[in-house]
């Protein structure tokens, strides 16, 4: 019997691996070696919903239209951070129109107001104070449109001229909502009770059969954190569940239903009424509640929430999109924006409820978000911690500086674990300068490509078993598409 000498298989196969559809998005729920290159295991500050890579979300100082021109609102110097934003719809008896006033709450414990329809660009002291974030909303009291500021043991009624302060029997309010002609509130000193005011009088909290009272909820759904009125019901967002209150008619006719129990913590500050549903962040990801059942929204990157403290996370809804300011673990040892210092939130997620499209802005510590809807524009107001009152943009800029943008594929063997790969060339179309990084068997190679209206290429000539491709851009007005890698298998 003769010995047969074995030689390596030198038969080559040429591949053209195309990354032509970046809209597949970010996936962390699948082992990255099993993901095609067109899926990202990490990406931020790019928009990938148009199949290519383009400018993602941005932030600029808030601009409002005063009837003649756009003006920039100057954030007060006194508060270090703005923690709350509301719109007071003041009724002008002379013109018969509603005039919006911007109301903000600072970490100095004061409430300020900003006029929209005048040339004034400053926020003024509204002579209202609160030791923590108040519950604020519009109300028609004694036939006058007023702004109610509810806080620890007092309610302030503001009408842009004078304030009225009510303290008699007022509980220490943490969250409030109007339902069935009464003001309902969660409180800080008894977190298992929902208090309610007298009918048609949110300043009277005397407890009696004919005035106000409270409803006590003692079960395993936890403390009461947030109230949301929807479809003629009052929903109570709790630490580990949701309850529903119907309070029409006499107090003896009030009813309570316990609808949902969660296995993980619910972050009540992220709950937002989105049309007829409530969207909220839980410990293991995003959910929507339709009034009866809770269903998970699969974003594809739930792993980024793992191990993160999202007690400071915030939610808002506007124009068919849910926005979540939160803390994500990008797990890449890179510091972006606010991450170079202490922060509470480091990302903003934009989720389109109809299409499922997602944008992620990384590097912003958001202390308040709220919709701002007027006759001329609809905006999402964003308050940056230790910063300004701003608004959301889609130009990939933060205060006129381009965001650092990154898209990274999985670390993969391309489906050929038994073959070596020789990366020959990379081709793409990009209007701005980009950096392409290739990690091959643990070693990184970087290539700077200049922007052009024509396709550009670079020679790679890298041999490896496992590869990863990363696209980085530090410019705005970026449009990156038709990324293709030529690979020989051997």
């Amino acid at each position: 019997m003769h010995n047969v000498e074995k030689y390596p298989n030198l038969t080559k196969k040429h591949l053209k691996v195309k990354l032509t559809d970046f809209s597949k998005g970010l996936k962390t729920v699948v082992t990255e070696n099993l993901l095609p290159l067109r899926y990202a295991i990490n990406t931020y500050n790019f928009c990938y919903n148009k199949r290519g890579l383009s400018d993602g979300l941005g932030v600029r100082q808030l601009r409002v239209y005063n009837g003649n021109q756009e003006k920039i609102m100057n954030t007060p110097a006194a508060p270090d951070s703005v923690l709350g934003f509301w719109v007071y719809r003041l009724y002008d008896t002379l013109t018969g129109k509603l005039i919006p006033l911007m109301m903000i709450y600072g970490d100095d414990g004061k409430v300020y107001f900003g006029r929209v329809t005048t040339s004034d660009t400053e926020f003024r002291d509204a002579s209202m104070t609160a030791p923590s974030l108040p519950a604020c909303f519009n109300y028609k009291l004694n036939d006058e449109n007023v702004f109610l500021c509810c806080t620890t043991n007092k309610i302030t009624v503001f009408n842009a001229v004078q304030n009225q302060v009510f303290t008699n029997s007022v509980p220490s309010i943490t969250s409030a909502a109007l339902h069935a002609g009464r003001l309902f509130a969660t409180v800080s000193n008894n977190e298992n009770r929902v208090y309610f005011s007298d009918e048609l009088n949110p300043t009277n909290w005397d407890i009696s059969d004919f005035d106000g009272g409270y409803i006590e909820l003692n079960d395993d759904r936890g403390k009461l954190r947030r109230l949301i009125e929807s479809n003629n019901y009052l929903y109570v967002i709790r630490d580990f569940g949701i309850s529903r209150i119907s309070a029409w008619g006499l107090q003896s006719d009030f009813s309570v239903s316990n609808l949902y129990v969660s296995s993980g913590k619910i972050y009540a500050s992220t709950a937002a009424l989105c049309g007829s549903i409530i969207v909220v962040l839980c410990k293991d990801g995003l959910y929507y509640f339709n009034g009866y059942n809770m269903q998970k929204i699969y974003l594809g990157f739930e792993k980024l929430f793992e191990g993160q403290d999202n007690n400071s996370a915030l939610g808002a809804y506007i124009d068919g999109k849910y926005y979540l300011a939160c803390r994500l673990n990008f797990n890449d040892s890179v510091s972006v924006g606010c991450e170079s210092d202490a922060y509470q939130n480091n990302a903003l997620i934009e989720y389109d409820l109809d299409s499922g499209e997602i944008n992620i802005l990384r590097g912003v510590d958001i202390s308040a978000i709220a919709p701002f809807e007027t006759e001329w524009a609809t905006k999402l107001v964003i308050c940056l911690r230790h910063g300004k009152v701003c608004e959301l943009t889609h130009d990939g800029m933060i205060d006129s500086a381009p965001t650092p943008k990154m898209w990274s594929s999985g670390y993969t063997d391309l489906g050929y674990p038994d073959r070596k790969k020789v990366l020959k060339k990379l081709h793409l179309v990009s209007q701005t300068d980009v950096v392409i990084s290739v990690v091959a068997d643990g070693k990184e190679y970087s290539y700077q490509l200049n922007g052009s209206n024509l396709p550009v290429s670079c020679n790679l000539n890298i041999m490896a078993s496992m590869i990863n491709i990363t696209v980085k851009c530090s410019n705005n007005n970026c449009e990156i598409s038709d990324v293709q890698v030529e690979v020989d298998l051997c």
Side-chain angles (χ1 to χ4, degrees):
M1 184 174 180
H2 300 285
N3 292 326
V4 178
E5 193 169 359
K6 296 183 179 180
Y7 294 94
N9 183 2
L10 299 179
T11 303
K12 291 185 178 181
K13 182 177 181 179
H14 189 71
L15 304 177
K16 291 186 177 180
V17 182
K18 298 181 179 180
L19 286 71
T20 55
D21 187 1
F22 291 97
S23 67
K24 297 300 182 183
L26 175 62
K27 299 293 181 185
T28 62
V29 295
V30 178
T31 301
E32 60 181 281
N33 184 41
L34 302 179
L35 285 173
L37 280 182
R38 62 182 178 272
Y39 288 90
I41 60 157
N42 196 7
T43 185
Y44 50 83
N45 297 343
F46 272 127
C47 174
Y48 47 77
N49 296 317
K50 297 186 294 184
R51 302 187 70 180
L53 297 175
S54 57
D55 290 331
L57 303 177
V59 174
R60 69 175 184 180
Q61 198 164 352
L62 177 62
R63 291 159 167 78
V64 296
Y65 185 71
N66 65 10
N68 298 310
Q69 61 185 5
E70 203 172 51
K71 64 176 181 178
I72 296 177
M73 294 302 300
N74 296 319
T75 306
D80 181 50
S81 298
V82 173
L83 305 179
F85 180 97
W86 307 268
V87 179
Y88 168 31
R89 294 175 180 84
L90 172 67
Y91 182 75
D92 187 347
T93 56
L94 295 177
T95 63
K97 293 183 178 180
L98 291 175
I99 300 175
L101 292 182
M102 292 170 288
M103 313 294 297
I104 62 174
Y105 171 75
D107 62 359
D108 59 349
K110 293 183 179 181
V111 177
Y112 300 81
F113 71 95
R115 301 185 185 276
V116 175
T117 57
T118 70
S119 59
D120 191 0
T121 59
E122 306 298 324
F123 282 92
R124 308 293 177 177
D125 192 337
S127 299
M128 289 186 282
T129 60
S132 58
L133 180 67
C136 300
F137 47 89
N138 292 265
Y139 190 79
K140 195 159 190 176
L141 183 66
N142 300 325
D143 208 32
E144 180 185 21
N145 282 28
V146 298
F147 183 76
L148 296 185
C149 178
C150 308
T151 182
T152 305
N153 304 117
K154 71 177 179 180
I155 293 177
T156 304
V157 179
F158 175 79
N159 65 1
V161 177
Q162 62 182 1
N163 295 342
Q164 288 181 283
V165 180
F166 297 86
T167 59
N168 186 37
S169 302
V170 175
S172 184
I173 296 173
T174 56
S175 170
L178 293 167
H179 170 64
R182 300 175 187 265
L183 182 59
F184 285 74
T186 58
V187 299
S188 62
N189 52 359
N190 198 324
E191 295 171 310
N192 292 321
R193 289 180 179 178
V194 176
Y195 282 78
F196 55 86
S197 71
D198 186 14
E199 191 171 10
L200 302 179
N201 188 358
T203 64
N204 178 11
W205 293 81
D206 291 337
I207 296 176
S208 77
D209 291 340
F210 305 101
D211 296 306
Y214 62 85
I215 300 169
E216 191 152 352
L217 302 177
N218 290 311
D219 56 63
D220 55 2
R221 288 167 179 80
K223 296 177 180 179
L224 286 52
R225 300 297 186 185
R226 183 89 179 272
L227 301 177
I228 295 178
E229 207 279 343
S230 177
N231 297 322
N232 294 321
Y233 289 106
L234 184 68
Y235 293 96
V236 186
I237 313 298
R238 306 170 64 177
D239 280 343
F240 298 98
I242 297 177
S243 299
R244 185 182 70 192
I245 295 174
S246 178
W248 297 95
L250 301 175
Q251 292 187 28
S252 57
D253 295 327
F254 291 4
S255 64
V256 178
S257 301
N258 291 316
L259 303 175
Y260 173 73
V261 177
S262 171
S263 58
K265 183 176 174 60
I266 298 174
Y267 297 106
S269 58
T270 68
L273 182 62
C274 307
S276 60
I277 66 171
I278 295 171
V279 178
V280 65
L281 177 67
C282 297
K283 188 72 174 178
D284 61 338
L286 209 59
Y287 286 78
Y288 75 88
F289 177 72
N290 62 9
Y292 300 95
N293 301 305
M294 200 88 145
Q295 297 290 331
K296 190 166 186 176
I297 299 172
Y298 287 96
L299 301 174
F301 52 87
E302 281 72 17
K303 189 174 181 180
L304 272 59
F305 292 107
E306 291 180 3
Q308 301 304 293
D309 178 2
N310 270 302
N311 284 298
S312 297
L314 303 163
Y317 171 77
I318 193 168
D319 280 349
K321 295 175 182 177
Y322 173 78
Y323 291 89
L324 176 66
C326 62
R327 192 179 181 105
L328 296 178
N329 179 15
F330 290 91
N331 196 32
D332 57 5
S333 69
V334 175
S335 292
V336 177
C338 68
E339 296 170 356
S340 60
D341 204 347
Y343 62 90
Q344 294 186 31
N345 296 315
N346 68 331
L348 178 70
I349 299 172
E350 177 187 74
Y351 176 72
D352 191 308
L353 294 175
D354 291 326
S355 67
E357 292 180 349
I358 296 170
N359 276 309
I360 300 175
L361 175 62
R362 180 182 180 183
V364 287
D365 190 0
I366 296 174
S367 56
I369 55 174
F372 182 34
E373 299 170 296
T374 63
E375 295 178 355
W376 72 89
T378 299
K379 300 173 181 282
L380 181 74
V381 172
I382 293 177
C383 302
L384 299 178
R385 203 174 311 278
H386 315 300
K388 304 171 184 175
V389 178
C390 300
E391 63 182 80
L392 183 71
T393 65
H394 290 79
D395 60 2
M397 306 270 284
I398 295 181
D399 259 352
S400 302
T403 56
K405 306 166 183 68
M406 191 276 289
W407 181 97
S408 186
S409 75
Y411 193 44
T412 176
D413 58 22
L414 297 179
Y416 296 93
D418 58 335
R419 307 286 292 272
K420 283 283 189 179
K421 296 89 190 168
V422 179
L423 281 63
K424 305 293 288 185
K425 284 188 175 183
L426 182 139
H427 314 274
L428 59 80
V429 175
S430 176
Q431 296 181 1
T432 55
D433 295 352
V434 297
V435 173
I436 302 295
S437 295
V438 178
V439 175
D441 290 349
K443 186 175 181 179
E444 184 174 0
Y445 305 83
S446 291
Y447 305 87
Q448 174 82 45
L449 300 179
N450 296 325
S452 173
N453 291 324
L454 300 174
V456 294
S457 304
C458 66
N459 293 319
L460 302 177
N461 294 320
I462 301 170
M463 177 178 283
S465 296
M466 303 282 291
I467 64 167
N468 153 274
I469 296 175
T470 299
V471 181
K472 298 178 183 177
C473 181
S474 298
N475 305 297
N476 65 321
N477 298 318
C478 66
E479 291 288 345
I480 302 168
S481 60
D482 294 331
V483 180
Q484 179 177 298
V485 183
E486 294 186 31
V487 181
D488 284 343
L489 300 178
C490 59

